[in-house]
Amino acid sequence: MYQTTYHRASSVDEAVSLFGKSSEAKFLAGGQTLLPVMKQRLASPSDVIDLGKIKELQGVELSGDTLTIKAATTYYDIMTNADVKKAIPAIAHLTSVLGDPAVRYRGTIGGSIANNDPAADFPAALLALGATVKTNKRSIAAEDFFQGLFTTALEDGELITAVSFPVPAKAGYEKMRHPASRFALTGVFVAQTKSGEVRVAATGASQSGVMRVPVIEAALKANWSPAAVDGVSISANGLLADIHGTAEYRANLIKVMAQRAVSAAG
Amino acid sequence: MGVEGIGARVVRKEDKRFITGKGRYVDDIKLTGMTYAHFIRSPHAHAKVRKIDSSAALKMPGVVAVLTGQQIVDDKVGNLICGWAITSKDGSPMKMGAWPAMAPETVRFVGQAVAVVIAESKNLARDAAEAVVVDYEELPAVADVHAAIKSGAPQLHPEAPGNQVYDWVIGDEGAVNAAFAKAANVVKLDVTNNRLAPNAMEPRAAIADYDAAEEHFTLYTTSQNPHVARLVLSAFYNIAPEHKLRVIAPDVGGGFGSKIFIYPEEMVALWASKKVGRPVKWTGDRTEAFLTDAHGRDHVTHAEMAFDANNKITGFKVKTYANFGAYMSLFSSSVPTYLYATLLSGQYNIPAIHAEVIGVYTNTTPVDAYRGAGRPEASYLIERLMETAARQLKVDPAELRRSNFITQFPHQTPVIMAYDTGDFNASLDAAMKAIDYAGFPARKAKAKADGKLRGIGVSCYIEACGIAPSKAVGSLGAGVGLWESAEVRVNPVGTIEILTGSHSHGQGHETTFCQLVAERLGVPISQVSIVHGDTDKVQFGMGTYGSRSAAVGLTAILKAMEKMESKAKKIAAHALEASEADIVIENGEFKVTGTDKAIALPMVALAAYTAHNLPDGMEPGLKESAFYDPTNFTFPAGTYICELEVDSGTGKTSFVNFVAADDFGRLINPMIVEGQVHGGLVQGIGQALLEHAIYDANGQPVTASFMDYAMPRADDVPSFNLSHTTTLCPGNPLGIKGCGEAGAIGASAAVINAITDAIGKNNLEMPATPDRVWRTIHAA
Ligand SMILES: Cc1cc2nc3c(=O)[nH]c(=O)nc-3n(C[C@H](O)[C@H](O)[C@H](O)COP(=O)(O)OP(=O)(O)OC[C@H]3O[C@@H](n4cnc5c(N)ncnc54)[C@H](O)[C@@H]3O)c2cc1C
């Protein structure tokens, strides 16, 4: 690791103001991505601003049909939260198959979506559920937030404060774990909104990051059942291919994971 | 057997220190004035080193020195050696490409060091390393064995035309051809044995400390065999004469073979310590481990087996290409030859065997012994072939094996090995019973009705352990003898120290070796301590690998114990005014048999050291030593059967059951044996399902971190069902065969046989990743 200056912010305002005063600052949440990258000397922020102790960034709120998860809430806290389990159990499930216990105790939803790893789990949930990302400056629809591999709508120094999810009628997430990293080799989140809209998002599959899967959405809109996806054909074009999965395999997984997610959603 | 004697499930003495974080590993050691080394490693698989500019780095804070490959060559530090001479079929010696500790001129694999920065801290060394400018001229590279032997392939070493290390043969080709000419059936198979990265939990590390006044070096290192390290560093690398070099291997966190070898980093640390006049520490990180720890396996094989009309094997021919990587590591040459082809008879009566092994250089990390070393490759090949034969001949795979089993012992195979004893039917029966083999078809049918693909796979392995009779290995080209040494010191107060040439890096020697003492003397193991891993403390010894520490190392301790006991009995007889022949040892006492006369061990020891009243002519003291050289290898064998299900939608495998019936001869501590089997099975399953060290066509490693290289984890493996069918090894007095490698040797074939049974297609390479299995299921 290169030399860096560590700050512990106590409020969102302080964090943002510290960021503005530094030459090349980074927010630090769970550190599960940022710290390994710094240790490998692939990142060298002049200043690291820790969000972990900011009270307003912690916790979950359920109000009416909206579930709000604050940005620095850890996966473990999300996974074990009663409101999450009640309102959107698919999110609790997603969190339970994310990484390993050590990662779940430290990693946060804000860090996950700010990083936007093409194989991360949460981006699929945000996209399929039509969530809204709240920052210190504005609200951004999930649709507009994710902009390709490791790229988001966030501006320099913009801080995610929370994510709010409309509570769906039904939702499910199934994931084929990458054998080495345990990220999503392919994961599919399916959701049926209370107004009857069907949204399906796949992560780990596409060369351009998390994506909607319109052909499966159409099939499920017509008939919400695993069998409805049987006849769907997913093109391997534009899908990721590496030593753990060919593009054809990932195309197959999009379909199979979608079917299993529908089963899980009930 | 006492409560802590042979056969007792004694809790491991060493675990208190390991699980409370009190282990003392090389990286825990800090010496006064210590400096830190950071290596500058080639990012290219093959390149000329044109120029190294360290001027900017030398001006950076805390930098002590930047040393290069040219300097180490100029200082006449020797090139790395390969300690087992193999002769090609044309009579020529193997072709050794020169391997300097840091490359002065040419780099041949990604990660090979070209220079080292020595600085006041690890971080400063790393900072400065980034400022060293190395000007490389990239050369074409080759990573695949078949590509490497094609004409026009990039050439690695001028000494090895065509990138060939050797073309070695074993067995009677004429007899094999005659068998094939008469065969009723011939079964053919191509298999790849995937390259593995060993991944011990503790990365390699070294601290070298040169004392200019004494002209003496101390090396702390992560070694499985500190004396062998000292010998090689002295005799071949010109570091220092043996008496001026002390090698200490303190607690070592796993080795699996990868810490047998003397690596460039240790040589550089020693040389640099003298150059800078201060201790030099290097601790590898995980990336360096992936790039520079010797890899394992990496064979490509074509094999054919001939059967007569009664399904008896009549002949076996094998052609294997072994990828050695860029250089010949310390024992690499023996792995695909004498540790592999000599086991090709498996558990079977095979009248004629012929094998040809072609060793090949490629621009990849050197390959050497890794848990099992050659024997997993042999076992996998034979057991995949037996399964293939059963499918082709349409007979039950277990019965095909049974009808070809060797049942008479001793048995001379056509490939050197003479099996001393075994009962292959017993282990097959035990495993079949444990898994309810007979009930499998019904379980498979039920799974099918539930939409699942269920399969069962058998693997009957044999290995040669207790490495090794020195004369035999010497005649085959080994540069060392493979005996072991021991010393027993009874202290004046009666506590006991055992000094052993074996080295424990996870195996539990501090417990099992004490159990032998407890068994013989009836003293608690708390009265005994095991001393190992320091060339200044322990007499010359050969270290731990090849499942040798119990069969060879413990036998050496037994021999020393017998000498010590014989002297102690004389002292006791003298004190008790009895005949030596009447003295028996029980519960820590020397008793006159049939009487109540007795003297406790501490009193005997005290008598030995006060020497006030010893038998006439007896030397004072109670300390004996022994060197034990085995007369044969030992032959652990067994049957593994695995039952699993494959998810046809994803290609993912899940285990239903995994049974192991092993014959390890006598067990000293069954709990520790089970631990060894569990670990070995997990490594075998890891090879079958997950692990693969991959290079792209240009020699760039694709799997140099745990994000890409899939290690098996607890939830990837089943709970194992273990049992033992014991035949005692006649070759050593304790009847021990060894258990350290069996799991890794036998497991992979059972898994692949089961998956191919489940999916109904025989051709499937390791690792059977979900993607690969899914594609195989759905291939036309
Ligand atoms: C072994 C391992 C396994 C993993 N497996 C998985 C997996 O299966 N699935 C998965 O999805 N992920 C996985 N991860 C990644 C993990 O989820 C990380 O926690 C996540 O990517 C980053 O979250 P973090 O809180 O640790 O963020 P950090 O590492 O602290 O930060 C990551 C980035 O986000 C920025 N950031 C953090 N918080 C905010 C904020 N509030 N506003 C703006 N920017 C912010 C930081 O500046 C930084 O650039 C794994 C990680 C590891 C180490």
Side-chain angles (χ1 to χ4, degrees):
Chain A
M1 203 180 275
Y2 296 107
Q3 288 283 350
T4 188
T5 305
Y6 172 88
H7 310 267
R8 176 180 287 162
S10 53
S11 68
V12 168
D13 288 347
E14 191 195 354
V16 171
S17 124
L18 281 166
F19 194 102
K21 284 189 220 142
S22 325
S23 60
E24 232 183 286
K26 277 275 184 197
F27 293 124
L28 173 70
Q32 296 303 294
T33 294
L34 184 58
L35 294 182
V37 169
M38 286 173 69
K39 281 188 183 167
Q40 287 174 301
R41 299 188 160 212
L42 298 172
S44 51
S46 61
D47 297 77
V48 164
I49 301 155
D50 190 348
L51 310 177
K53 289 284 185 296
I54 301 179
K55 285 225 170 57
E56 58 203 287
L57 292 181
Q58 293 287 342
V60 174
E61 281 165 16
L62 178 62
S63 112
D65 269 349
T66 304
L67 179 78
T68 301
I69 305 177
K70 307 284 183 59
T73 312
T74 64
Y75 302 131
Y76 178 81
D77 286 344
I78 297 169
M79 184 175 110
T80 51
N81 183 277
D83 286 337
V84 173
K85 287 201 253 182
K86 188 173 102 196
I88 317 181
I91 288 186
H93 170 69
L94 172 148
T95 322
S96 75
V97 294
L98 191 163
D100 51 42
V103 171
R104 293 197 285 271
Y105 276 119
R106 303 290 316 183
T108 68
I109 184 172
S112 173
I113 62 172
N115 193 46
N116 194 17
D117 188 302
D121 296 293
F122 258 113
L126 267 71
L127 202 53
L129 291 167
T132 304
V133 179
K134 305 274 167 76
T135 76
N136 62 319
K137 293 185 181 161
R138 55 188 170 143
S139 292
I140 312 168
E143 229 51 83
D144 305 322
F145 182 82
F146 299 111
Q147 300 188 343
L149 307 190
F150 300 104
T151 313
T152 68
L154 288 176
E155 288 161 11
D156 194 38
E158 188 172 3
L159 184 99
I160 302 168
T161 53
V163 181
S164 59
F165 297 91
V167 175
K170 287 176 176 181
Y173 181 66
E174 284 299 317
K175 164 188 187 182
M176 182 68 186
R177 288 178 152 197
H178 182 289
S181 74
R182 301 282 176 109
F183 273 84
L185 194 58
T186 287
V188 177
F189 202 106
V190 299
Q192 194 182 68
T193 64
K194 291 201 165 160
S195 61
E197 195 195 349
V198 172
R199 296 171 63 104
V200 175
T203 186
S206 164
Q207 290 170 10
S208 29
V210 64
M211 62 168 184
R212 298 268 297 270
V213 194
V215 284
I216 296 183
E217 290 177 350
L220 290 175
K221 173 96 187 158
N223 171 13
W224 179 265
S225 80
V229 184
D230 278 343
V232 168
S233 125
I234 305 282
S235 163
N237 279 346
L239 297 191
L240 290 163
D242 55 34
I243 56 169
H244 295 286
T246 51
E248 293 70 30
Y249 181 62
R250 284 184 162 89
N252 167 65
L253 285 180
I254 292 177
K255 197 168 142 176
V256 174
M257 292 301 126
Q259 290 180 310
R260 294 181 186 180
V262 171
S263 293
Chain B
M1 159 190 127
V3 285
E4 294 180 327
I6 290 178
R9 305 175 75 91
V10 178
V11 171
R12 301 194 343 156
K13 283 173 88 171
E14 48 270 76
D15 282 350
K16 185 169 176 190
R17 117 171 150 263
F18 293 148
I19 63 187
T20 56
K22 303 288 184 199
R24 188 164 180 265
Y25 298 90
V26 172
D27 193 54
D28 295 322
I29 296 167
K30 291 177 182 61
L31 304 181
T32 313
M34 193 160 78
T35 64
Y36 297 81
H38 185 86
F39 283 89
I40 296 165
R41 299 184 182 279
S42 171
H44 306 295
H46 199 187
K48 285 247 170 296
V49 181
R50 279 213 205 102
K51 187 164 179 281
I52 299 178
D53 180 0
S54 43
S55 50
L58 284 166
K59 290 186 201 117
M60 288 176 68
V63 173
V64 178
V66 179
L67 305 171
T68 66
Q70 192 55 51
Q71 285 171 286
I72 203 165
V73 170
D74 291 345
D75 281 358
K76 308 228 168 347
V77 171
N79 289 338
L80 279 85
I81 60 156
C82 178
W84 196 309
I86 298 291
T87 305
S88 285
K89 64 182 181 190
D90 66 5
S92 63
M94 64 184 190
K95 309 290 188 293
M96 287 289 295
W99 185 8
M102 295 191 289
E105 231 171 66
T106 308
V107 285
R108 296 184 176 84
F109 66 97
V110 172
Q112 186 172 5
V114 296
V116 65
V117 178
I118 313 288
E120 299 291 346
S121 80
K122 219 172 157 168
N123 238 0
L124 290 170
R126 210 166 159 182
D127 287 345
E130 286 173 7
V132 175
V133 183
V134 185
D135 179 11
Y136 293 101
E137 175 191 336
E138 263 194 85
L139 300 172
V142 63
D144 173 81
V145 250
H146 286 313
I149 56 173
K150 283 222 178 80
S151 71
Q155 297 293 297
L156 271 81
H157 297 284
E159 300 91 340
N163 294 322
Q164 187 173 298
V165 180
Y166 53 60
D167 181 349
W168 173 89
V169 289
I170 189 170
D172 184 340
E173 194 171 14
V176 170
N177 288 340
F180 275 81
K182 281 192 289 181
N185 286 295
V186 171
V187 178
K188 301 179 181 178
L189 189 68
D190 290 288
V191 300
T192 300
N193 205 288
N194 41 325
R195 177 185 282 238
L196 305 176
N199 278 318
M201 205 182 302
E202 179 203 20
R204 290 190 293 114
I207 304 172
D209 182 13
Y210 179 66
D211 177 340
E214 298 289 338
E215 295 180 358
H216 180 279
F217 290 89
T218 303
L219 174 67
Y220 301 86
T221 181
T222 47
S223 174
Q224 301 178 212
N225 32 231
H227 285 94
V228 176
R230 186 180 68 163
L231 171 67
V232 172
L233 288 163
S234 298
F236 299 98
Y237 302 158
N238 305 328
I239 299 292
E242 276 174 291
H243 68 299
K244 294 289 186 188
L245 172 59
R246 175 181 184 186
V247 178
I248 300 172
D251 284 333
V252 174
F256 312 112
S258 72
K259 292 172 181 168
I260 298 172
F261 324 117
I262 292 86
Y263 285 91
E265 290 84 0
E266 294 155 320
M267 300 163 64
V268 171
L270 285 161
W271 166 75
S273 170
K274 182 168 177 182
K275 271 202 127 49
V276 305
R278 290 170 62 184
V280 174
K281 177 188 228 174
W282 169 74
T283 305
D285 63 22
R286 189 55 63 184
T287 308
E288 288 180 296
F290 274 109
L291 297 180
T292 67
D293 289 5
H295 288 173
R297 322 279 191 253
D298 209 343
H299 285 191
V300 180
T301 297
H302 175 77
E304 300 187 9
M305 200 174 256
F307 288 84
D308 70 12
N310 299 320
N311 294 335
K312 298 273 193 227
I313 308 166
T314 54
F316 188 22
K317 61 180 166 197
V318 174
K319 186 168 187 178
T320 293
Y321 292 90
N323 186 344
F324 279 122
Y327 298 97
M328 292 302 285
S329 174
L330 191 62
F331 288 112
S332 57
S333 56
S334 65
V335 176
T337 50
Y338 291 111
L339 295 178
Y340 163 70
T342 55
L343 268 305
L344 286 172
S345 197
Q347 297 191 354
Y348 312 109
N349 245 311
I350 307 182
I353 298 176
H354 182 260
E356 177 172 13
V357 179
I358 295 155
V360 180
Y361 285 117
T362 62
N363 294 108
T364 60
T365 297
V367 174
D368 206 325
Y370 168 64
R371 201 168 191 173
R375 293 152 292 163
E377 295 90 316
S379 180
Y380 181 71
L381 176 65
I382 302 160
E383 290 307 295
R384 282 292 293 129
L385 200 47
M386 290 306 280
E387 202 73 25
T388 305
R391 289 169 190 170
Q392 187 175 322
L393 303 174
K394 303 209 168 10
V395 294
D396 179 81
E399 291 318 309
L400 179 69
R401 287 174 170 89
R402 191 190 297 284
S403 67
N404 282 285
F405 274 164
I406 294 161
T407 51
Q408 302 292 316
F409 297 91
H411 174 88
Q412 177 63 54
T413 71
V415 279
I416 299 178
M417 289 299 173
Y419 301 163
D420 50 5
T421 185
D423 185 346
F424 305 147
N425 277 308
S427 45
L428 178 61
D429 288 340
M432 287 171 72
K433 183 153 179 266
I435 205 152
D436 183 19
Y437 191 83
F440 176 73
R443 296 196 297 277
K444 185 175 175 110
K446 173 155 192 313
K448 195 173 171 195
D450 299 341
K452 301 270 176 54
L453 301 173
R454 193 177 275 225
I456 197 163
V458 178
S459 167
C460 298
Y461 76 90
I462 187 163
E463 49 167 335
C465 292
I467 289 176
S470 300
K471 195 170 164 187
V473 295
S475 74
L476 302 178
V480 288
L482 289 167
W483 44 266
E484 195 47 271
S485 72
E487 187 175 309
V488 175
R489 293 182 185 168
V490 182
N491 297 319
V493 289
T495 56
I496 297 162
E497 282 159 31
I498 303 286
L499 290 78
T500 169
S502 296
H503 182 275
S504 187
H505 30 280
Q507 293 88 345
H509 295 176
E510 287 169 55
T511 306
T512 46
F513 289 5
C514 291
Q515 286 183 250
L516 174 71
V517 179
E519 172 79 19
R520 298 193 62 90
L521 303 181
V523 298
I525 61 171
S526 60
Q527 299 289 300
V528 188
S529 67
I530 304 297
V531 181
H532 63 197
D534 184 340
T535 58
D536 260 16
K537 289 185 182 163
V538 179
Q539 68 293 336
F540 196 91
M542 294 306 299
T544 288
Y545 37 83
S547 305
R548 67 191 305 272
S549 296
V552 187
L554 195 60
T555 306
I557 297 172
L558 173 70
K559 298 283 177 193
M561 285 289 292
E562 285 171 350
K563 291 187 195 173
M564 181 282 290
E565 289 163 17
S566 157
K567 181 171 182 182
K569 280 182 181 174
K570 288 194 177 74
I571 298 170
H574 183 72
L576 297 169
E577 295 177 344
S579 152
E580 192 192 325
D582 292 336
I583 304 287
V584 292
I585 310 176
E586 267 169 33
N587 298 327
E589 287 186 331
F590 291 71
K591 291 187 175 153
V592 182
T593 179
T595 73
D596 59 359
K597 288 209 289 184
I599 176 171
L601 173 65
M603 299 312 293
V604 176
L606 197 61
Y609 286 96
T610 56
H612 296 160
N613 182 20
L614 288 177
D616 281 347
M618 181 181 276
E619 284 178 15
L622 196 51
K623 171 183 101 112
E624 297 290 347
S625 66
F627 284 67
Y628 170 71
D629 197 3
T631 53
N632 192 358
F633 291 86
T634 65
F635 298 95
T639 295
Y640 296 159
I641 307 181
C642 155
E643 186 170 332
L644 49 73
E645 279 181 358
V646 175
D647 178 340
S648 62
T650 62
K652 192 170 163 48
T653 295
S654 5
F655 289 96
V656 176
N657 202 351
F658 197 113
V659 304
D662 294 295
D663 178 359
F664 297 139
R666 189 177 317 280
L667 309 182
I668 305 298
N669 182 326
M671 182 197 73
I672 288 180
V673 169
E674 284 160 14
Q676 290 289 311
V677 177
H678 286 171
L681 291 174
V682 172
Q683 278 173 311
I685 291 171
Q687 173 165 29
L689 294 181
L690 296 159
E691 296 187 51
H692 195 184
I694 300 175
Y695 288 84
D696 73 10
N698 299 318
Q700 284 295 326
V702 179
T703 48
S705 91
F706 287 138
M707 295 306 267
D708 301 302
Y709 188 93
M711 289 293 282
R713 296 178 223 193
D715 64 356
D716 290 316
V717 297
S719 205
F720 300 110
N721 176 342
L722 309 186
S723 66
H724 301 283
T725 57
T726 302
T727 60
L728 293 180
C729 175
N732 60 66
L734 294 164
I736 292 169
K737 297 186 180 182
C739 66
E741 297 161 292
I745 291 170
S748 318
V751 175
I752 300 297
N753 287 342
I755 299 176
T756 51
D757 179 47
I759 65 176
K761 297 202 175 165
N762 193 54
N763 285 335
L764 178 68
E765 296 289 12
M766 299 191 289
T769 59
D771 177 21
R772 197 174 252 172
V773 173
W774 177 81
R775 281 184 285 123
T776 307
I777 294 173
H778 297 280

